[in-house]
């Protein structure tokens, strides 16, 4: 989950990777972007995903105004959140068929980690759905995805507003720690219920001579945040300086 949130600023979905630089294999050649049909499809996909996360954002605001409280807002956006976050699985297919120049393995890890948190933790452990930590990562994801899919859409159309570019490479400074905190707190809150119910765990003896402790697995996931978080966070800081400084230099020559 940590990597998914962190690398959202560097993951391609037909946007930043479309205009890749020149390659040198037997001579200088420009890397081709997706063809017209693929580009049209990616624009539609990113527009739909942008709209979907906007629906989630509006749903959160409306529920808050109606209730006058931020507690248990998850229930008001549960269905669209599951639908659009699960819909991101298509991004793995985009990489696999080559219309997006990103790593299939990395993209799979990024997407599946979020899908895992939505379905294997938040959906499966009903008791955590009212936790404020869920709202924490949902808000962070929602803002991040609205910006990310907007970025890809405008990049594909070769008309990227500076404000969206700035937001994509700046707001993660707050949104990434916010999302990671929400994810960790949600998994932590789920632990006692997972242990009590033996959720998704397999005990010995059984005919396959195999055991699996989901409780221990979740703890290992939480521990994995320790090395991943700082590494990716500072990588994103470096990317921000590189991209925005390049933009400023480009403006000077216009």
């Amino acid at each position: 989950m940590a990597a998914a949130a962190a690398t959202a600023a560097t993951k391609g979905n037909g946007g930043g990777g479309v205009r890749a630089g020149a390659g040198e294999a037997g001579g200088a050649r420009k890397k081709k972007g997706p063809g017209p049909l693929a580009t049209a499809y990616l624009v539609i996909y990113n527009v739909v995903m942008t709209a979907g996360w906007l629906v989630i954002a509006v749903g959160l605001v409306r529920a808050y105004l109606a209730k006058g409280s931020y507690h248990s807002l998850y229930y008001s956006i549960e269905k669209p959140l599951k639908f659009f976050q699960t819909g991101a699985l298509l991004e793995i297919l985009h990489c696999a068929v080559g219309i997006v120049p990103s790593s299939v393995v990395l993209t799979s890890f990024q997407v599946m980690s979020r899908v895992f948190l939505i379905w294997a933790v938040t959906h499966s452990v009903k008791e955590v759905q009212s936790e404020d930590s869920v709202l924490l990562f949902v808000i962070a994801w929602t803002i991040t995805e609205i910006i990310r899919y907007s970025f890809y859409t405008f990049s594909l159309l070769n008309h990227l507003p500076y404000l969206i570019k700035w937001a994509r490479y700046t707001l993660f400074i707050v949104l990434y720690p916010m999302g990671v905190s929400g994810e960790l707190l949600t998994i932590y809150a789920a632990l006692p219920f997972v242990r009590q119910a033996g959720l998704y765990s397999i005990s010995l003896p059984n005919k396959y001579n195999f055991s699996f402790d989901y409780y221990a697995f979740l703890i290992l996931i939480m521990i994995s945040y320790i090395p991943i978080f700082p590494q990716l966070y500072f990588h994103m800081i470096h990317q921000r300086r590189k991209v925005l400084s390049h933009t400023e230099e480009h403006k000077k020559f216009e």
Side-chain angles (χ1 to χ4, degrees):
M1 277 72 76
T7 48
T10 57
K11 181 169 72 172
N13 191 38
V18 172
R19 299 186 303 277
E24 294 186 12
R29 294 182 301 175
K30 290 185 178 180
K31 293 182 180 179
K32 293 182 179 179
L37 288 178
T39 299
Y41 162 74
L42 288 172
V43 168
I44 294 171
Y45 172 81
N46 285 297
V47 167
V48 169
M49 294 300 281
T50 302
W53 285 95
L54 280 170
V55 167
I56 294 170
V58 172
L60 286 171
V61 173
R62 290 182 62 183
Y64 173 75
L65 293 176
K67 295 178 62 176
S69 171
Y70 61 86
H71 297 295
S72 302
L73 292 183
Y74 170 79
Y75 301 105
S76 64
I77 48 85
E78 180 180 5
K79 290 182 179 179
L81 176 65
K82 288 177 178 177
F83 180 83
F84 288 102
Q85 185 55 68
T86 305
L89 289 170
L90 285 173
E91 294 174 27
I92 300 173
L93 180 62
H94 298 166
C95 298
V97 300
I99 61 174
V100 172
S102 296
S103 165
V104 176
V105 175
L106 182 57
T107 301
S108 298
F109 177 74
Q110 293 166 353
V111 173
M112 290 304 298
S113 61
R114 280 194 176 188
V115 172
F116 173 85
L117 186 64
I118 287 294
W119 290 101
V121 179
T122 311
H123 171 78
S124 299
V125 186
K126 306 294 184 183
E127 292 84 355
V128 304
Q129 294 177 1
S130 58
E131 293 286 333
D132 293 340
S133 58
V134 173
L135 182 62
L136 200 61
F137 76 71
V138 167
I139 291 175
W141 288 9
T142 300
I143 298 173
T144 297
E145 297 297 64
I146 290 172
I147 295 170
R148 184 168 73 91
Y149 287 115
S150 297
F151 178 93
Y152 294 148
T153 300
F154 285 109
S155 294
L156 285 162
L157 297 173
N158 295 315
H159 186 68
L160 179 63
Y162 177 76
L163 180 61
I164 292 179
K165 186 174 186 178
W166 177 88
R168 188 191 181 205
Y169 289 100
T170 301
L171 296 186
F172 76 86
I173 296 172
V174 173
L175 294 175
Y176 178 34
M178 177 180 170
V180 167
S181 298
E183 294 167 16
L184 284 171
L185 290 170
T186 299
I187 296 174
Y188 180 76
L191 288 177
F193 302 105
V194 169
R195 190 170 196 175
Q196 182 180 9
L199 184 67
Y200 299 141
S201 296
I202 302 174
S203 301
L204 290 171
N206 58 67
K207 64 179 181 179
Y208 300 107
N209 196 32
F210 170 80
S211 65
F212 174 72
D213 190 339
Y214 188 55
Y215 175 85
F217 178 70
L218 289 180
I219 292 176
L220 288 176
I221 287 179
M222 294 178 68
I223 293 173
S224 73
Y225 277 71
I226 298 174
I228 292 175
F229 174 80
Q231 181 180 352
L232 291 179
Y233 189 71
F234 288 112
H235 170 71
M236 293 161 66
I237 293 289
H238 175 72
Q239 285 292 106
R240 178 182 186 275
R241 291 171 182 168
K242 182 179 178 181
V243 171
L244 295 186
S245 63
H246 180 269
T247 301
E248 291 299 326
E249 289 177 7
H250 181 71
K251 283 184 177 180
K252 292 179 182 178
F253 292 99
E254 287 183 343

